[in-house]
Amino acid sequence: VLAGLSDALDVACANIPKLDNTLVAIDTSGSMNDFVTASPKEMKRYELMGTTPLKRHEAAALYGAMLARVGFADMLMFGDRAKMVPYNPRDSVMSVARGITAREGEVGHGTCFPSIFETADKNGVPYDRVVIFTDEQTHVRNAVVMISPSVAL
């Protein structure tokens, strides 16, 4: 079943437009570890099936991997800080997404949006767009973020 799902995700990528000069940012903070759906009735159904529903960071990693893989976009994960995530564009979407979810917590458990742009600035690539996959639970740290004009927002 998983192999079929992995193949289907790769085939579905043909329908995603290629976005050049894109940075894909995936939120791996603590709140992204919650389930996408978590009503008591739905949780009971999953429990009876012996499985669990999709978590937010898993969904973000799948969508992010699909978008990044199609356009050979740069990808990063962020929490308290951000870190570029290297990947092989020939790998399946599922394996790229698994690589991201396996690193959950590596950049902290907060949600610091400025870290995305600080890391993008350090990367030195003038991105045309930044696509952020997040649940929008954020905090503001006591710092001034300086972004050079080379980062197109």
Side-chain angles (χ1 to χ4, degrees):
V1 174
L2 285 177
L5 180 58
S6 181
D7 291 345
L9 286 168
D10 292 339
V11 169
C13 285
N15 296 314
I16 298 173
K18 182 181 176 198
L19 302 175
D20 293 323
N21 300 320
T22 299
L23 175 64
V24 176
I26 299 168
D27 182 350
T28 59
S29 66
S31 62
M32 292 291 284
N33 201 34
D34 289 340
F35 297 114
V36 172
T37 191
S39 76
K41 184 177 181 181
E42 290 168 320
M43 291 302 289
K44 184 67 175 171
R45 184 177 49 191
Y46 282 105
E47 184 181 306
L48 291 172
M49 292 187 304
T51 187
T52 58
L54 188 68
K55 291 185 177 184
R56 292 174 185 169
H57 74 271
E58 293 168 334
L62 280 170
Y63 287 124
M66 289 177 79
L67 185 60
R69 191 168 158 264
V70 167
F72 304 108
D74 288 340
M75 189 166 40
L76 65 73
M77 55 194 285
F78 72 100
D80 294 320
R81 58 195 174 284
K83 183 178 200 177
M84 298 303 292
V85 177
Y87 67 97
N88 183 341
R90 288 188 263 166
D91 285 347
S92 70
V93 168
M94 189 76 84
S95 67
V96 172
R98 280 188 180 146
I100 295 163
T101 59
R103 298 172 70 179
E104 182 190 6
E106 192 173 301
V107 289
H109 297 287
T111 309
C112 183
F113 288 106
S115 68
I116 298 167
F117 302 101
E118 290 167 346
T119 302
D121 195 35
K122 288 177 190 166
N123 200 28
V125 176
Y127 297 106
D128 293 335
R129 72 195 56 79
V130 177
V131 179
I132 303 171
F133 291 95
T134 181
D135 61 0
E136 299 183 52
Q137 293 186 28
T138 187
H139 72 279
V140 178
R141 65 180 175 197
N142 296 326
V144 175
V145 179
M146 300 300 292
I147 300 174
S148 78
S150 65
V151 178
L153 302 177

